[in-house]
Amino acid sequence: MRTRVVALEAQTGRRERPCSSPRRLPARFISVDTSPTPAPDTTPRGTPRPDVTAAERPNSPKVGRSGSGRHRSGTASETTRSTDTGVGSTTGRPTDARRAATDARRAATDRPTDAAARASRPANARSTSPGLPTAAQRTGSGSRPEKDRTTGGQVPTEIRATTGDGPTENRTTTGQGPTQNRTTTGQGPTQSRTATGRGPGTAGTTTRREVAAEPPTDTADATGPAPVSRRRRTLLLLLALTAATSATALVLGLLSWAPDPPEPTRPLTLAEGERLAAVRVTNLRDLRAGVRITAGADAARIELVGWVDWSRSLLYLDVGGPGAGAERGLVQRVGPVLVIRPDPAAVPTPAAPPLLPPADRWRLHRLAPGTNLAPVLDLLLDLAADRPDQTQAVPGSGARWIAQDTVAAGPVDVLEASLPAGPPHRSPAFGSTVAPTPSAAPASTDPNGQTRFWLDQDARLHKLVTRLPGVGPVTMILNRADRPTLRPVDALGGRPGLPRALTDAERRRLDRLPARLRAQRGATMTLTAPVGTDTNLRGAGWVSWTTGTAYLAVADLGVPDRRTLLRRDTAGLARADLPAAAAGGGTAEAPGRPPLPPPAGPWRAQRSGGDDLNVLVEAAVAAGSVGPPGTALRVREDVTAGRTVDVVEVGPADARLRYWIDRDGSLRRLELHTNANAWAQLDLQPAVVPRLTPVPRPAAKPRPTTPRPR
């Protein structure tokens, strides 16, 4: 694009100074703006005059008012120089004859240039281009603006020149649109705008106030909607069409979707049969697992959460659900022995029990026939054995592969087979004093006689679904990663240990135990004795090793409003049954100590031994006179009442006693293995014992005398 910039010359108004060389404010270019400008305003602003060519315009001087040389107003005289790209304009104001002579000389000098410009201008320079607005030249006098507009090009080009007494500014803009040439004269700064380009040109003279008041040009109405708006509407229509098509395809796909048919069941392969046969061996090898069980339906449903330890036949569960009944709360089981810690106020939904079980309120419990809990616990313990079940691996067993599934631990195979038919062969727990009693497997399962096992590739059982007679559907979920070490409660023997022979120090403490107890003189006693499935005893009293006397009040949890007073001294054992208020009061779980002196009542004498309570009390009294008989073994180290003790077991297998001896040689607890395969405890705390008076005994009746014959 060719653009010729014509600089406008400013005159200062002084004599004998050329107009092209202003003294104070030289003309200069300010900026070049190539951005498009709006279409020119065609509103008439002055009296139009006929077009005058450059040849017909006289280059006469302008006459202004006399003064000091600063001309505030005058007649506008304009000389337009046309080229192939635009129009130029020069403005001057001679004031006297000398200025006129100077202008004449300059006109003579510039005339060849003007002639060349007219020769190079095409014949139709003033015609309008197709599709563009027509040119208009408007000339005003005085303070009216004068504009000369010529249409051509596409991008506006603007040159601005300012003359006057103030700063002179010349701005040149090149482009392909409308061209404007504006010359402003006045007392203040004067602006002259000359635009060249391939588009229309505009020449005029305006004052500063009119230039500021001229409104901006708007071409939106002339050119119609912008192409950007049309593209935006087209894009929105395309997006709406795409969304509608996608929604239609999705609906049609959902209506016509059908799940893939399941893979048909088949008999087990040899590898799958071996995995199924090794399930119980794998459970015994893994020792422990977390378990969550749901058994029964509707109002008879029970829920169990906790752990199973197959290596010791130990269960530790929290029982809940609407059908829990009297067993709601914590449950522990070792072999056939079951103890519970009932909590009737517990929420129906069970939670994982605490790893360290509470020490109080445990009682020996017998499950009533027909309850849902007993067969579920039997099934859970029967899932471990020390040898594979070969009946599961034979081809004619009827076991089948059902499907593949995914559990939290990963992919598994769902196998359908019957439960083990024979009793499990469990290894007894090392150091355990409870001989596990094998329990028979359930007689039947679901109506088809089948149970579903979720097994992984390592023969680990993750889920089991079956039906038990009298219970209904049973679902067991095993967490193989949740395998903490479980601690049985004291009624089940406490935590396991490694029995060993006594060291010399331990043997000396055991031999010096009677002398140590006599030096202490006495202690308080607290009894916790699960001696039968329906008999759980609690008691409190004293023992005096100096006099060889024990006196305590015993309560049975099954008969909370009655107490049994038991006294053991050198005369033997005596008992009396009294109401709770007359025998020390308290609750059945924590009875008070017996009254002193012993109340008169139906005391009855008993033989030594006989039941577990008599054996335990007599062992406590005898510990202050003679050492434990038989061979002694150290079972483990334990803690009671904040003191570290050595648990030493002595006596025959049918009447084992455990002595809890601290490092000072004091006896802290006596334990007796009862006939119910549980452990009874008698806790001893050294204390000052009151004088234990003997119980009132009935007076001996005199014998009837018969007269002697004479």
Side-chain angles (χ1 to χ4, degrees):
M1 179 184 63
R2 293 176 49 201
T3 304
R4 180 178 179 183
V5 181
V6 180
L8 301 181
E9 300 174 355
Q11 296 182 4
T12 61
R14 291 181 178 273
R15 287 186 176 184
E16 298 180 358
R17 185 171 296 279
C19 297
S20 60
S21 300
R23 178 179 180 183
R24 296 171 60 185
L25 299 173
R28 57 188 178 87
F29 292 108
I30 300 301
S31 64
V32 177
D33 186 5
T34 60
S35 62
T37 60
D41 189 4
T42 58
T43 304
R45 298 187 180 276
T47 303
R49 68 177 183 178
D51 295 342
V52 181
T53 61
E56 295 172 351
R57 281 182 204 158
N59 193 8
S60 62
K62 299 177 183 179
V63 179
R65 290 184 303 177
S66 62
S68 60
R70 297 185 180 180
H71 306 281
R72 300 176 182 269
S73 62
T75 302
S77 177
E78 183 178 2
T79 301
T80 304
R81 300 177 183 177
S82 301
T83 63
D84 57 347
T85 59
V87 179
S89 66
T90 305
T91 305
R93 291 182 181 178
T95 58
D96 51 17
R98 292 183 181 180
R99 181 64 55 84
T102 303
D103 291 341
R105 288 194 301 270
R106 179 183 290 160
T109 305
D110 294 339
R111 192 171 289 112
T113 304
D114 296 338
R118 286 192 300 270
S120 62
R121 183 172 55 188
N124 56 352
R126 294 184 179 272
S127 62
T128 59
S129 299
L132 296 176
T134 60
Q137 293 182 354
R138 300 185 182 125
T139 305
S141 63
S143 60
R144 288 182 176 273
E146 184 180 40
K147 295 185 180 180
D148 184 8
R149 302 181 181 179
T150 303
T151 304
Q154 297 178 3
V155 179
T157 304
E158 185 177 43
I159 300 175
R160 300 178 182 178
T162 305
T163 63
D165 295 343
T168 301
E169 196 173 34
N170 190 354
R171 299 184 181 179
T172 302
T173 305
T174 60
Q176 298 180 357
T179 304
Q180 295 182 356
N181 185 0
R182 299 178 182 178
T183 304
T184 305
T185 61
Q187 185 178 359
T190 303
Q191 294 183 352
S192 175
R193 302 181 182 178
T194 301
T196 61
R198 290 189 293 179
T202 301
T205 303
T206 61
T207 62
R208 295 176 59 192
R209 187 172 301 173
E210 290 176 347
V211 171
E214 183 178 356
T217 305
D218 188 3
T219 60
D221 297 334
T223 60
V228 177
S229 301
R230 291 196 298 271
R231 287 196 299 271
R232 185 180 293 110
R233 286 196 297 269
T234 303
L235 180 60
L236 291 177
L237 290 175
L238 291 176
L239 290 177
L241 181 61
T242 303
T245 305
S246 301
T248 304
L250 179 60
V251 172
L252 294 177
L254 291 177
L255 293 177
S256 61
W257 176 84
D260 295 334
E263 188 176 351
T265 63
R266 54 174 174 78
L268 299 183
T269 63
L270 180 61
E272 292 167 349
E274 291 178 350
R275 277 194 287 149
L276 183 60
V279 167
R280 298 202 294 171
V281 177
T282 304
N283 290 338
L284 185 62
R285 180 194 63 196
D286 288 350
L287 305 180
R288 297 173 293 275
V291 63
R292 179 179 290 271
I293 304 174
T294 302
D298 300 332
R301 187 184 79 254
I302 60 173
E303 298 177 2
L304 309 173
V305 179
W307 299 276
V308 55
D309 188 338
W310 290 296
S311 64
R312 291 184 288 160
S313 297
L314 171 62
L315 298 176
Y316 182 25
L317 304 168
D318 185 12
V319 182
E327 289 81 21
R328 185 183 304 277
L330 299 180
V331 171
Q332 279 202 0
R333 175 175 170 177
V334 174
V337 183
L338 176 71
V339 294
I340 66 172
R341 188 177 186 269
D343 187 4
V347 295
T349 303
L355 278 177
L356 185 62
D360 59 342
R361 297 172 52 197
W362 291 94
R363 63 181 66 181
L364 199 62
H365 185 67
R366 180 180 61 180
L367 295 174
T371 60
N372 294 347
L373 186 59
V376 172
L377 299 182
D378 290 340
L379 175 61
L380 185 57
L381 288 177
D382 289 344
L383 291 177
D386 56 1
R387 64 193 66 178
D389 187 3
Q390 298 299 332
T391 60
Q392 302 284 1
V394 296
S397 62
R400 299 184 65 83
W401 180 92
I402 301 300
Q404 285 186 340
D405 200 354
T406 302
V407 296
V412 294
D413 291 323
V414 183
L415 309 181
E416 189 176 75
S418 59
L419 287 172
H425 301 279
R426 293 190 296 270
S427 299
F430 184 79
S432 174
T433 59
V434 178
T437 302
S439 59
S444 63
T445 56
D446 60 4
N448 296 327
Q450 299 296 322
T451 301
R452 293 194 174 185
F453 301 80
W454 275 252
L455 297 180
D456 62 11
Q457 297 300 318
D458 296 327
R460 289 187 175 91
L461 180 65
H462 294 273
K463 184 178 179 181
L464 183 143
V465 176
T466 187
R467 292 185 67 89
L468 296 178
V471 177
V474 177
T475 301
M476 294 185 180
I477 299 176
L478 302 176
N479 187 354
R480 315 298 300 208
D482 186 13
R483 16 192 333 268
T485 300
L486 304 181
R487 175 174 179 172
V489 296
D490 294 335
L492 298 177
R495 63 185 182 86
L498 296 175
R500 60 170 176 81
L502 300 179
T503 63
D504 294 340
E506 294 166 350
R507 171 60 66 178
R508 285 193 297 269
R509 283 199 296 268
L510 183 61
D511 294 339
R512 296 173 182 172
L513 181 61
R516 178 72 176 176
L517 296 180
R518 287 193 299 269
Q520 290 179 355
R521 301 178 64 85
T524 59
M525 295 190 300
T526 303
L527 176 68
T528 305
V531 296
T533 55
D534 296 325
T535 306
N536 293 274
L537 304 179
R538 304 291 187 267
W542 300 275
V543 59
S544 175
W545 287 298
T546 57
T547 61
T549 304
Y551 181 38
L552 69 161
V554 181
D556 189 349
L557 297 181
V559 189
D561 57 345
R562 299 290 292 178
R563 299 290 186 269
T564 297
L565 298 181
L566 177 63
R567 180 182 175 89
R568 197 279 188 198
D569 53 17
T570 56
L573 285 170
R575 289 189 179 186
D577 295 330
L578 299 173
T587 63
E589 189 68 38
R593 292 187 175 88
L596 288 174
W603 290 89
R604 61 185 185 274
Q606 287 188 334
R607 294 182 302 122
S608 297
D611 59 8
D612 294 328
L613 178 59
N614 293 344
V615 172
L616 189 59
V617 173
E618 288 182 351
V621 174
S625 57
V626 62
T631 304
L633 296 175
R634 180 185 181 274
V635 177
R636 66 177 184 269
E637 180 183 283
D638 214 320
V639 177
T640 180
R643 301 180 70 90
T644 303
V645 297
D646 294 316
V647 181
V648 179
E649 186 175 306
V650 297
D654 57 346
R656 289 189 299 273
L657 282 169
R658 288 181 177 177
Y659 292 78
W660 292 42
I661 305 173
D662 64 11
R663 301 304 164 83
D664 295 336
S666 299
L667 184 62
R668 296 293 177 174
R669 174 182 284 184
L670 269 174
E671 281 188 328
L672 175 67
H673 187 234
T674 66
N675 294 329
N677 284 333
W679 289 86
Q681 296 89 34
L682 190 62
D683 291 302
L684 305 170
Q685 183 67 31
V688 177
V689 178
R691 183 174 179 272
L692 302 177
T693 58
V695 297
R697 298 181 182 273
K701 293 181 180 180
R703 294 180 181 181
T705 59
T706 57
R708 293 181 181 180
R710 295 181 179 177

